[in-house]
Amino acid sequence: MARIKMVEESDAEGPLAELYVASKARSIAGVVPDILRTMSLRPDFLAAIVAASRLHFTDGALNRAQHVMIASYVSALNRCRY
């Protein structure tokens, strides 16, 4: 059970609903990741995070898979379930 209030997909409206649809479309699992849903009360902030994340995970010196692998490892070290 989450300790952070999150807006459910069925309750999302306007820009938040659009962000959810786009996020779900990019998701391999076809879901809105909980880490993004934790920012659902501030769609403006969520949009900025999504934009920064897309830039961060763009292929450059490392490809997307390598970025994800490093992010996953760091999350595990920090005992972060996201």
Side-chain angles (χ1 to χ4, degrees):
M1 180 178 188
R3 291 180 280 170
I4 298 172
K5 182 170 172 34
M6 296 183 268
V7 177
E8 297 297 327
E9 286 183 63
S10 58
D11 297 328
E13 299 176 349
L16 178 60
E18 293 171 18
L19 286 164
Y20 275 4
V21 167
S23 176
K24 196 172 181 176
R26 283 190 301 273
S27 168
I28 294 170
V31 299
V32 178
D34 284 345
I35 189 66
L36 297 181
R37 291 179 55 232
T38 62
M39 295 174 261
S40 61
L41 296 179
R42 288 285 311 271
D44 57 326
F45 185 71
L46 175 55
I49 292 296
V50 167
S53 177
R54 290 183 73 184
L55 178 63
H56 173 74
F57 285 108
T58 300
D59 287 353
L62 301 175
N63 64 37
R64 180 171 175 77
Q66 291 167 321
H67 279 278
V68 171
M69 182 174 57
I70 291 168
S72 297
Y73 181 70
V74 170
S75 291
L77 288 176
N78 291 324
R79 293 192 171 113
C80 175
R81 65 181 216 157
Y82 297 110

Coordinates of all heavy atoms in Angstrom, one line a residue:
M1 N 0.8 -1.2 0.0 CA 0.0 0.0 0.0 C 0.9 1.2 0.0 O 1.8 1.4 0.8 CB -0.9 0.0 1.2 CG -1.8 1.1 1.3 SD -2.8 0.9 2.8 CE -4.0 2.1 2.6
A2 N 0.6 2.1 -0.9 CA 1.4 3.3 -1.0 C 1.1 4.3 0.1 O 0.0 4.4 0.6 CB 1.1 4.0 -2.4
R3 N 2.1 5.0 0.5 CA 2.0 6.1 1.5 C 1.7 7.4 0.9 O 1.4 8.4 1.6 CB 3.2 6.1 2.5 CG 3.3 4.9 3.3 CD 4.5 4.9 4.2 NE 5.6 4.6 3.4 CZ 6.9 4.7 3.8 NH1 7.2 5.2 4.9 NH2 7.9 4.3 3.0
I4 N 1.9 7.5 -0.4 CA 1.8 8.8 -1.1 C 0.4 8.7 -1.9 O 0.1 7.7 -2.6 CB 2.9 9.0 -2.1 CG1 4.3 9.0 -1.4 CG2 2.7 10.2 -2.9 CD1 5.5 9.0 -2.3
K5 N -0.4 9.7 -1.7 CA -1.7 9.8 -2.4 C -1.4 9.9 -3.9 O -0.6 10.7 -4.3 CB -2.5 11.0 -1.9 CG -3.8 11.0 -2.6 CD -4.7 12.1 -2.0 CE -6.0 12.3 -2.7 NZ -6.6 11.3 -3.4
M6 N -2.0 9.0 -4.7 CA -1.9 9.0 -6.1 C -3.2 9.1 -6.8 O -4.2 8.5 -6.3 CB -1.1 7.8 -6.5 CG 0.3 7.7 -6.0 SD 1.1 6.2 -6.6 CE 0.8 5.1 -5.3
V7 N -3.3 9.7 -7.9 CA -4.5 9.8 -8.7 C -4.6 8.5 -9.6 O -3.6 8.2 -10.3 CB -4.6 11.0 -9.6 CG1 -5.8 11.0 -10.5 CG2 -4.5 12.3 -8.8
E8 N -5.7 7.8 -9.5 CA -5.8 6.5 -10.3 C -6.1 6.9 -11.7 O -6.6 8.0 -12.0 CB -7.0 5.7 -9.7 CG -6.8 5.2 -8.3 CD -5.7 4.3 -8.2 OE1 -5.4 3.5 -9.1 OE2 -5.0 4.3 -7.1
E9 N -5.7 6.0 -12.6 CA -6.0 6.3 -14.0 C -7.4 6.6 -14.3 O -7.7 7.5 -15.1 CB -5.5 5.1 -14.9 CG -4.1 4.9 -15.0 CD -3.7 3.7 -15.9 OE1 -4.0 3.8 -17.1 OE2 -3.1 2.8 -15.4
S10 N -8.3 5.9 -13.7 CA -9.8 6.1 -14.0 C -10.2 7.5 -13.5 O -11.2 8.0 -14.0 CB -10.6 5.1 -13.3 OG -10.3 5.0 -11.9
D11 N -9.5 8.1 -12.6 CA -9.8 9.5 -12.0 C -9.1 10.6 -12.7 O -9.3 11.8 -12.4 CB -9.6 9.5 -10.5 CG -10.5 8.5 -9.8 OD1 -11.6 8.2 -10.3 OD2 -10.0 8.0 -8.7
A12 N -8.1 10.3 -13.5 CA -7.2 11.3 -14.1 C -8.0 12.1 -15.2 O -8.8 11.5 -15.9 CB -6.0 10.7 -14.8
E13 N -7.8 13.4 -15.2 CA -8.4 14.3 -16.1 C -7.4 15.3 -16.7 O -6.4 15.5 -16.1 CB -9.5 15.1 -15.4 CG -10.6 14.3 -14.8 CD -11.6 15.1 -14.1 OE1 -11.4 16.3 -13.8 OE2 -12.7 14.6 -13.7
G14 N -7.7 15.8 -17.9 CA -6.9 16.8 -18.5 C -5.5 16.4 -18.8 O -5.2 15.3 -19.2
P15 N -4.5 17.3 -18.4 CA -3.1 17.0 -18.7 C -2.6 15.8 -18.0 O -1.8 15.0 -18.6 CB -2.4 18.3 -18.2 CG -3.4 19.3 -18.2 CD -4.7 18.7 -17.9
L16 N -3.1 15.5 -16.8 CA -2.7 14.2 -16.2 C -3.1 13.0 -16.9 O -2.4 12.1 -17.1 CB -3.2 14.2 -14.7 CG -2.9 12.9 -13.9 CD1 -1.3 12.8 -13.8 CD2 -3.5 12.9 -12.6
A17 N -4.4 13.0 -17.4 CA -4.9 11.9 -18.2 C -4.0 11.7 -19.5 O -3.7 10.6 -19.8 CB -6.3 12.1 -18.6
E18 N -3.6 12.8 -20.1 CA -2.8 12.7 -21.3 C -1.4 12.2 -20.9 O -0.8 11.4 -21.7 CB -2.6 14.1 -21.9 CG -3.9 14.7 -22.5 CD -3.8 16.1 -22.9 OE1 -2.7 16.6 -23.1 OE2 -4.9 16.7 -23.1
L19 N -0.8 12.6 -19.8 CA 0.5 12.1 -19.4 C 0.4 10.6 -19.1 O 1.3 9.8 -19.4 CB 1.0 12.8 -18.1 CG 1.5 14.2 -18.4 CD1 1.6 15.0 -17.1 CD2 2.8 14.2 -19.1
Y20 N -0.7 10.2 -18.5 CA -0.9 8.7 -18.2 C -1.0 7.9 -19.5 O -0.4 6.9 -19.6 CB -2.2 8.5 -17.3 CG -2.0 8.7 -15.8 CD1 -0.8 9.1 -15.3 CD2 -3.1 8.4 -15.0 CE1 -0.7 9.2 -13.9 CE2 -3.0 8.5 -13.6 CZ -1.8 8.9 -13.1 OH -1.7 9.0 -11.7
V21 N -1.8 8.4 -20.4 CA -1.9 7.7 -21.7 C -0.5 7.6 -22.4 O -0.2 6.5 -22.9 CB -2.9 8.4 -22.6 CG1 -2.9 7.9 -24.1 CG2 -4.3 8.3 -22.1
A22 N 0.2 8.6 -22.5 CA 1.5 8.6 -23.1 C 2.5 7.7 -22.4 O 3.2 6.9 -23.0 CB 2.1 10.0 -23.2
S23 N 2.5 7.7 -21.0 CA 3.3 6.9 -20.2 C 3.0 5.4 -20.4 O 3.9 4.6 -20.6 CB 3.2 7.3 -18.8 OG 4.0 6.4 -18.0
K24 N 1.7 5.1 -20.4 CA 1.3 3.8 -20.6 C 1.7 3.2 -22.0 O 2.1 2.1 -22.1 CB -0.3 3.7 -20.5 CG -0.8 2.4 -20.2 CD -2.3 2.5 -19.9 CE -2.9 1.2 -19.7 NZ -4.3 1.2 -19.2
A25 N 1.6 4.1 -23.0 CA 2.0 3.7 -24.4 C 3.5 3.4 -24.5 O 3.9 2.5 -25.2 CB 1.6 4.8 -25.4
R26 N 4.3 4.1 -23.7 CA 5.8 3.9 -23.7 C 6.2 2.7 -22.9 O 7.3 2.2 -23.0 CB 6.5 5.1 -23.2 CG 6.6 6.2 -24.2 CD 7.5 7.3 -23.8 NE 7.2 8.0 -22.6 CZ 6.3 9.0 -22.4 NH1 5.8 9.5 -23.5 NH2 6.1 9.5 -21.3
S27 N 5.3 2.3 -22.0 CA 5.6 1.2 -21.0 C 5.6 -0.2 -21.7 O 4.6 -0.5 -22.4 CB 4.6 1.2 -19.9 OG 4.8 0.0 -19.1
I28 N 6.6 -1.0 -21.5 CA 6.7 -2.3 -22.1 C 5.5 -3.1 -21.5 O 4.9 -3.9 -22.2 CB 8.0 -3.0 -21.8 CG1 9.1 -2.2 -22.6 CG2 8.0 -4.5 -22.2 CD1 10.5 -2.7 -22.2
A29 N 5.2 -2.9 -20.2 CA 4.2 -3.7 -19.5 C 2.8 -3.1 -19.8 O 1.8 -3.7 -19.4 CB 4.5 -3.7 -18.0
G30 N 2.7 -1.9 -20.4 CA 1.4 -1.3 -20.7 C 0.8 -0.7 -19.4 O -0.5 -0.7 -19.4
V31 N 1.6 -0.2 -18.5 CA 1.0 0.3 -17.3 C 1.7 1.7 -17.0 O 2.8 2.0 -17.6 CB 1.3 -0.6 -16.0 CG1 0.6 -1.9 -16.2 CG2 2.8 -0.8 -15.8
V32 N 1.1 2.5 -16.2 CA 1.7 3.7 -15.7 C 2.5 3.4 -14.5 O 2.0 2.9 -13.5 CB 0.7 4.8 -15.3 CG1 1.3 6.1 -14.8 CG2 -0.2 5.1 -16.5
P33 N 3.9 3.5 -14.5 CA 4.7 3.1 -13.4 C 4.3 3.9 -12.1 O 4.0 5.1 -12.2 CB 6.1 3.5 -13.9 CG 6.0 3.5 -15.4 CD 4.7 4.0 -15.7
D34 N 4.4 3.2 -11.0 CA 4.0 3.8 -9.7 C 4.9 5.0 -9.5 O 4.4 6.0 -8.9 CB 4.2 2.8 -8.6 CG 3.0 1.8 -8.5 OD1 2.0 2.1 -9.2 OD2 3.1 0.8 -7.8
I35 N 6.2 5.0 -9.9 CA 7.0 6.1 -9.6 C 6.5 7.4 -10.2 O 6.6 8.5 -9.7 CB 8.5 5.8 -10.0 CG1 9.4 6.9 -9.6 CG2 8.6 5.7 -11.5 CD1 9.6 7.0 -8.1
L36 N 5.9 7.3 -11.4 CA 5.3 8.4 -12.0 C 3.9 8.8 -11.4 O 3.6 10.0 -11.2 CB 5.0 8.2 -13.5 CG 6.3 7.9 -14.4 CD1 5.9 7.7 -15.8 CD2 7.3 9.1 -14.2
R37 N 3.2 7.8 -11.0 CA 1.9 8.1 -10.3 C 2.1 8.8 -9.0 O 1.2 9.5 -8.5 CB 1.2 6.7 -10.1 CG 0.7 6.1 -11.4 CD -0.1 4.8 -11.2 NE -1.2 5.0 -10.3 CZ -1.4 4.2 -9.3 NH1 -0.6 3.2 -9.0 NH2 -2.4 4.4 -8.5
T38 N 3.3 8.7 -8.4 CA 3.5 9.4 -7.1 C 3.5 10.9 -7.3 O 3.3 11.6 -6.3 CB 4.8 9.0 -6.4 OG1 5.9 9.3 -7.3 CG2 4.8 7.5 -6.1
M39 N 3.7 11.3 -8.5 CA 3.7 12.8 -8.8 C 2.4 13.2 -9.4 O 2.3 14.4 -10.0 CB 4.9 13.1 -9.7 CG 6.2 12.8 -9.1 SD 7.6 13.0 -10.2 CE 7.9 11.3 -10.6
S40 N 1.4 12.4 -9.4 CA 0.1 12.7 -10.1 C -0.7 13.9 -9.5 O -1.5 14.5 -10.2 CB -0.8 11.5 -10.1 OG -1.1 11.1 -8.7
L41 N -0.4 14.3 -8.3 CA -1.1 15.5 -7.8 C -0.5 16.8 -8.3 O -1.1 17.8 -8.2 CB -1.0 15.5 -6.2 CG -1.7 14.3 -5.5 CD1 -1.5 14.4 -4.0 CD2 -3.2 14.3 -5.9
R42 N 0.7 16.7 -9.0 CA 1.3 17.8 -9.6 C 1.6 17.5 -11.1 O 2.8 17.2 -11.4 CB 2.6 18.2 -8.9 CG 2.4 18.8 -7.5 CD 2.0 20.3 -7.6 NE 2.8 21.1 -8.5 CZ 3.9 21.7 -8.2 NH1 4.4 21.7 -7.0 NH2 4.5 22.5 -9.1
P43 N 0.6 17.5 -12.0 CA 0.9 17.2 -13.4 C 1.9 18.0 -14.0 O 2.7 17.5 -14.9 CB -0.5 17.4 -14.0 CG -1.5 17.3 -12.9 CD -0.8 17.8 -11.7
D44 N 2.1 19.3 -13.6 CA 3.1 20.1 -14.2 C 4.5 19.6 -13.8 O 5.4 19.5 -14.7 CB 3.0 21.6 -13.7 CG 3.0 21.7 -12.2 OD1 2.5 20.8 -11.4 OD2 3.5 22.7 -11.7
F45 N 4.7 19.2 -12.6 CA 6.0 18.6 -12.2 C 6.2 17.2 -12.9 O 7.3 16.9 -13.3 CB 6.0 18.4 -10.6 CG 7.3 17.9 -10.1 CD1 8.4 18.8 -10.1 CD2 7.4 16.7 -9.6 CE1 9.6 18.3 -9.6 CE2 8.6 16.2 -9.1 CZ 9.7 17.0 -9.1
L46 N 5.1 16.4 -12.9 CA 5.2 15.1 -13.6 C 5.7 15.3 -15.1 O 6.5 14.6 -15.5 CB 3.9 14.4 -13.5 CG 3.8 13.1 -14.3 CD1 4.9 12.1 -13.8 CD2 2.4 12.5 -14.1
A47 N 5.1 16.3 -15.8 CA 5.5 16.5 -17.1 C 7.0 16.9 -17.2 O 7.7 16.4 -18.2 CB 4.6 17.7 -17.7
A48 N 7.5 17.7 -16.3 CA 8.9 18.1 -16.3 C 9.8 16.9 -16.1 O 10.8 16.7 -16.7 CB 9.2 19.2 -15.3
I49 N 9.4 16.0 -15.1 CA 10.1 14.8 -14.8 C 10.2 13.8 -16.0 O 11.2 13.3 -16.4 CB 9.5 14.1 -13.6 CG1 9.8 14.9 -12.3 CG2 10.1 12.7 -13.4 CD1 11.2 15.1 -12.0
V50 N 9.0 13.7 -16.7 CA 8.9 12.8 -17.9 C 9.9 13.4 -19.0 O 10.6 12.6 -19.6 CB 7.5 12.7 -18.4 CG1 7.4 12.1 -19.8 CG2 6.6 11.9 -17.4
A51 N 9.9 14.7 -19.2 CA 10.7 15.3 -20.2 C 12.2 15.1 -19.8 O 13.0 14.7 -20.7 CB 10.4 16.8 -20.3
A52 N 12.6 15.3 -18.6 CA 14.0 15.1 -18.2 C 14.4 13.6 -18.3 O 15.5 13.3 -18.7 CB 14.1 15.6 -16.7
S53 N 13.5 12.7 -17.9 CA 13.7 11.3 -18.0 C 14.0 10.8 -19.4 O 14.9 10.1 -19.7 CB 12.6 10.5 -17.4 OG 12.8 9.1 -17.5
R54 N 13.1 11.3 -20.3 CA 13.3 11.0 -21.7 C 14.7 11.5 -22.3 O 15.3 10.8 -23.0 CB 12.2 11.5 -22.6 CG 10.9 10.8 -22.2 CD 9.7 11.2 -23.1 NE 9.9 10.7 -24.4 CZ 9.1 11.0 -25.4 NH1 8.1 11.8 -25.2 NH2 9.4 10.5 -26.6
L55 N 15.1 12.7 -21.8 CA 16.4 13.2 -22.2 C 17.5 12.3 -21.6 O 18.4 11.9 -22.3 CB 16.5 14.6 -21.8 CG 17.8 15.3 -22.1 CD1 18.1 15.4 -23.6 CD2 17.9 16.7 -21.5
H56 N 17.3 12.0 -20.4 CA 18.3 11.2 -19.6 C 18.5 9.8 -20.3 O 19.7 9.3 -20.4 CB 17.9 11.1 -18.2 CG 18.8 10.2 -17.4 ND1 20.1 10.5 -17.0 CD2 18.6 8.9 -17.0 CE1 20.6 9.5 -16.4 NE2 19.8 8.5 -16.3
F57 N 17.4 9.2 -20.7 CA 17.5 7.8 -21.2 C 17.7 7.8 -22.7 O 17.7 6.7 -23.3 CB 16.3 7.0 -20.8 CG 16.3 6.6 -19.3 CD1 15.5 7.2 -18.4 CD2 17.2 5.7 -18.9 CE1 15.5 6.8 -17.1 CE2 17.2 5.3 -17.6 CZ 16.4 5.9 -16.7
T58 N 18.0 8.9 -23.3 CA 18.3 9.0 -24.8 C 19.7 8.4 -25.0 O 20.6 8.6 -24.2 CB 18.2 10.4 -25.3 OG1 16.9 10.9 -25.1 CG2 18.5 10.5 -26.8
D59 N 19.8 7.6 -26.0 CA 21.1 7.0 -26.3 C 22.1 8.0 -26.6 O 21.9 9.1 -27.2 CB 21.0 6.1 -27.6 CG 20.3 4.8 -27.4 OD1 20.0 4.5 -26.2 OD2 20.1 4.1 -28.3
G60 N 23.3 7.8 -26.0 CA 24.4 8.7 -26.1 C 25.7 7.8 -25.9 O 25.9 6.8 -26.6
A61 N 26.4 8.2 -24.9 CA 27.6 7.3 -24.5 C 27.1 6.0 -24.0 O 27.8 5.0 -24.3 CB 28.4 8.0 -23.4
L62 N 25.9 5.9 -23.4 CA 25.3 4.7 -23.0 C 24.0 4.5 -23.7 O 23.3 5.5 -24.0 CB 25.1 4.7 -21.5 CG 26.3 4.8 -20.6 CD1 25.8 4.9 -19.1 CD2 27.3 3.7 -20.7
N63 N 23.6 3.3 -24.0 CA 22.3 3.1 -24.6 C 21.3 3.0 -23.5 O 21.6 2.9 -22.3 CB 22.3 1.9 -25.5 CG 22.5 0.6 -24.8 OD1 22.1 0.3 -23.7 ND2 23.2 -0.4 -25.5
R64 N 20.0 2.9 -23.9 CA 18.9 2.9 -22.9 C 19.0 1.8 -22.0 O 18.8 1.9 -20.8 CB 17.5 2.9 -23.7 CG 16.4 2.9 -22.7 CD 15.0 3.1 -23.3 NE 14.0 3.0 -22.4 CZ 13.6 3.9 -21.5 NH1 14.2 5.0 -21.4 NH2 12.6 3.7 -20.7
A65 N 19.3 0.6 -22.5 CA 19.4 -0.6 -21.6 C 20.5 -0.4 -20.6 O 20.3 -0.8 -19.4 CB 19.7 -1.8 -22.5
Q66 N 21.6 0.2 -20.9 CA 22.6 0.4 -19.9 C 22.2 1.4 -18.9 O 22.5 1.3 -17.7 CB 23.9 0.9 -20.6 CG 24.5 -0.2 -21.5 CD 25.6 0.3 -22.4 OE1 25.4 1.4 -23.0 NE2 26.7 -0.5 -22.5
H67 N 21.5 2.5 -19.3 CA 21.0 3.5 -18.4 C 20.0 2.8 -17.4 O 20.1 3.0 -16.2 CB 20.2 4.6 -19.1 CG 21.0 5.7 -19.7 ND1 21.5 6.7 -18.9 CD2 21.5 5.8 -20.9 CE1 22.2 7.5 -19.7 NE2 22.2 7.0 -20.9
V68 N 19.1 2.0 -17.9 CA 18.1 1.3 -17.0 C 18.8 0.3 -16.1 O 18.4 0.3 -14.9 CB 17.1 0.6 -17.9 CG1 16.2 -0.3 -17.1 CG2 16.2 1.6 -18.7
M69 N 19.8 -0.4 -16.6 CA 20.5 -1.3 -15.7 C 21.2 -0.6 -14.5 O 21.1 -1.0 -13.4 CB 21.6 -2.0 -16.5 CG 22.4 -3.1 -15.7 SD 23.5 -4.0 -16.8 CE 24.5 -2.8 -17.5
I70 N 21.8 0.6 -14.8 CA 22.5 1.3 -13.8 C 21.5 1.9 -12.8 O 21.6 1.8 -11.6 CB 23.4 2.5 -14.4 CG1 24.6 1.8 -15.1 CG2 23.8 3.4 -13.3 CD1 25.3 2.8 -16.0
A71 N 20.4 2.4 -13.4 CA 19.3 3.0 -12.5 C 18.7 1.9 -11.6 O 18.5 2.1 -10.4 CB 18.2 3.6 -13.3
S72 N 18.5 0.7 -12.1 CA 18.0 -0.4 -11.3 C 18.9 -0.8 -10.2 O 18.5 -1.1 -9.1 CB 17.7 -1.6 -12.2 OG 16.7 -1.3 -13.2
Y73 N 20.2 -0.8 -10.6 CA 21.2 -1.2 -9.6 C 21.3 -0.2 -8.4 O 21.3 -0.6 -7.3 CB 22.6 -1.4 -10.3 CG 23.7 -1.8 -9.3 CD1 23.7 -3.0 -8.8 CD2 24.7 -0.9 -8.9 CE1 24.7 -3.4 -7.9 CE2 25.7 -1.2 -8.1 CZ 25.7 -2.5 -7.5 OH 26.7 -2.9 -6.7
V74 N 21.3 1.1 -8.8 CA 21.3 2.1 -7.8 C 20.1 2.1 -6.9 O 20.1 2.2 -5.7 CB 21.5 3.5 -8.4 CG1 21.3 4.6 -7.4 CG2 22.9 3.6 -9.1
S75 N 18.9 1.8 -7.5 CA 17.7 1.7 -6.8 C 17.8 0.5 -5.8 O 17.3 0.6 -4.6 CB 16.5 1.5 -7.7 OG 16.2 2.7 -8.4
A76 N 18.3 -0.6 -6.2 CA 18.5 -1.7 -5.4 C 19.4 -1.4 -4.2 O 19.1 -1.8 -3.1 CB 19.0 -2.9 -6.2
L77 N 20.5 -0.7 -4.5 CA 21.4 -0.3 -3.4 C 20.7 0.5 -2.4 O 21.0 0.4 -1.2 CB 22.6 0.4 -4.0 CG 23.7 -0.4 -4.8 CD1 24.7 0.5 -5.3 CD2 24.3 -1.5 -3.9
N78 N 19.8 1.4 -2.9 CA 19.1 2.3 -2.0 C 17.9 1.7 -1.4 O 17.1 2.4 -0.7 CB 18.8 3.6 -2.7 CG 20.0 4.4 -3.0 OD1 20.9 4.5 -2.3 ND2 20.0 5.0 -4.2
R79 N 17.6 0.4 -1.7 CA 16.4 -0.3 -1.2 C 15.2 0.4 -1.6 O 14.2 0.5 -0.9 CB 16.5 -0.6 0.3 CG 17.6 -1.5 0.7 CD 17.5 -2.0 2.1 NE 18.4 -3.0 2.4 CZ 19.4 -2.9 3.2 NH1 19.7 -1.7 3.8 NH2 20.3 -3.9 3.4
C80 N 15.2 0.9 -2.9 CA 14.1 1.6 -3.4 C 13.3 0.7 -4.3 O 13.9 0.2 -5.3 CB 14.5 2.9 -4.2 SG 13.2 3.7 -5.0
R81 N 12.1 0.4 -4.1 CA 11.3 -0.5 -4.9 C 10.9 0.0 -6.2 O 10.4 -0.7 -7.1 CB 10.1 -1.0 -4.1 CG 9.1 0.0 -3.9 CD 7.9 -0.5 -3.1 NE 6.7 0.1 -3.6 CZ 5.5 -0.3 -3.5 NH1 5.3 -1.5 -3.0 NH2 4.5 0.3 -4.0
Y82 N 11.2 1.3 -6.5 CA 10.8 1.9 -7.8 C 12.1 1.8 -8.7 O 12.1 2.2 -9.7 CB 10.4 3.3 -7.6 CG 9.1 3.4 -6.9 CD1 9.1 4.0 -5.6 CD2 7.9 2.9 -7.4 CE1 7.9 4.1 -4.9 CE2 6.7 3.0 -6.7 CZ 6.7 3.6 -5.4 OH 5.6 3.7 -4.7

